[in-house]
Amino acid sequence: MTKPGQHVLSTLRQMIASGELQAGERVAEIPTAERLGVSRTPVRIAFRALEQEGLLEKLERRGYRVREVSAEEISGAVEVRGVLEGLAARQAAENGLSDEQRQGLRECLAQGDALFATGSITELDLEEYHSLNQRFHTLILEASKNPAIVSALSRNEHLPFASVNALAIDRNHLDQEYRRFNFAHMQHHAAFDAIDCGQGARAEAIMREHANATLRYADLFSQAPDNSIRVIGQDSENKTGK
């Protein structure tokens, strides 16, 4: 996905997490694109991605609608992800890293160090973090040499906020986001050190804890009046056309 597309997707996720969009609400592509100041294409792609993540449900006729999801569903999916990524880290430590994998992980850490060195962060920085975060986790999965883990994670990613890619950014509180993502980056450092030193049990524990950072979303949703996630959708009744 392009950077503009990723920006739209993360923006919509944050609108979901903040409760800005009402459960069951139908929202068309064109008004949404106008609201975000983008073309319809990234909005359409984002809708499809959110459906895959379990945040939208396809209507029988046309478009999408908000899907109600409980905090318990999110926390359960995140816990499963932590178990699977922890297993991947342990097996990567037991297998040993290739020179290419070690170099790739170190590059991710160096990129993150540069992003967080200033003591503050911008939206563009967080989009860059999203990319390096994806690569870091992918490299660990590759190092595990266990395709069953990849397959299981793929199935789990269809649940809300269970994917490592499903980052929501609070653009109104970037100081808080700096602390949250900087802490996650420090966990990357610790996970790499454990894997590179062949400390399987330690690597597994760190990655399981790392996944738990996502549970902040479950906490937010449990505080919502209707105890549900509010998700953007496309109005099947809207006659705006394609």
Side-chain angles (χ1 to χ4, degrees):
M1 184 178 291
T2 63
K3 283 189 176 181
Q6 186 58 54
H7 177 82
V8 170
L9 182 56
S10 63
T11 297
L12 295 179
R13 285 203 198 97
Q14 180 55 32
M15 293 169 73
I16 294 167
S18 68
E20 184 175 349
L21 299 162
Q22 296 297 313
E25 183 178 355
R26 298 174 178 180
V27 185
E29 286 180 11
I30 290 178
T32 302
E34 291 175 347
R35 182 177 184 176
L36 299 180
V38 298
S39 68
R40 294 181 63 187
T41 299
V43 173
R44 184 181 302 115
I45 294 172
F47 283 173
R48 292 172 181 168
L50 292 171
E51 181 190 12
Q52 289 295 310
E53 294 174 15
L55 296 175
L56 295 178
E57 56 184 358
K58 189 83 170 179
L59 296 174
E60 289 185 7
R61 292 166 56 190
R62 179 187 175 193
Y64 302 91
R65 180 174 57 196
V66 175
R67 177 174 178 263
E68 292 190 3
V69 182
S70 68
E72 289 75 17
E73 185 175 353
I74 298 172
S75 60
V78 171
E79 185 174 359
V80 169
R81 187 185 112 199
V83 170
L84 292 170
E85 291 199 324
L87 175 61
R90 177 169 65 80
Q91 293 187 335
E94 293 170 350
N95 293 333
L97 297 170
S98 68
D99 290 341
E100 184 178 359
Q101 290 163 347
R102 183 177 293 103
Q103 180 61 29
L105 290 168
R106 283 176 172 165
E107 288 173 358
C108 290
L109 296 176
Q111 281 182 272
D113 290 345
L115 284 178
F116 296 108
T118 62
S120 61
I121 203 163
T122 67
E123 291 183 35
L124 290 177
D125 291 334
L126 288 174
E127 289 172 11
E128 185 175 343
Y129 175 82
H130 178 272
S131 297
L132 72 86
N133 185 58
Q134 280 183 298
R135 187 182 180 208
F136 185 87
H137 284 255
T138 297
L139 284 167
I140 292 177
L141 289 176
E142 291 176 356
S144 76
K145 300 179 182 179
N146 190 338
I149 297 177
V150 177
S151 178
L153 278 170
S154 178
R155 290 193 296 273
N156 193 57
E157 285 176 357
H158 293 293
L159 298 174
F161 290 97
S163 171
V164 68
N165 301 324
L167 296 179
I169 299 168
D170 188 350
R171 292 174 171 81
N172 296 320
H173 300 90
L174 288 177
D175 54 337
Q176 296 178 12
E177 296 297 71
Y178 171 83
R179 291 192 293 271
R180 181 164 71 96
F181 286 103
N182 185 44
F183 178 72
H185 179 61
M186 291 301 100
Q187 288 179 316
H188 282 182
H189 271 283
F192 170 74
D193 181 70
I195 293 170
D196 199 35
C197 292
Q199 299 170 338
R202 177 174 168 238
E204 181 173 15
I206 292 169
M207 288 303 289
R208 290 188 66 165
E209 177 60 27
H210 184 56
N212 284 335
T214 309
L215 290 177
R216 70 182 293 269
Y217 300 125
D219 293 339
L220 287 173
F221 304 143
S222 67
Q223 297 166 13
D226 60 355
N227 196 33
S228 65
I229 297 177
R230 296 174 174 83
V231 187
I232 194 166
Q234 179 181 358
D235 188 352
S236 63
E237 301 296 327
N238 194 298
K239 305 301 182 181
T240 54
K242 295 183 178 180

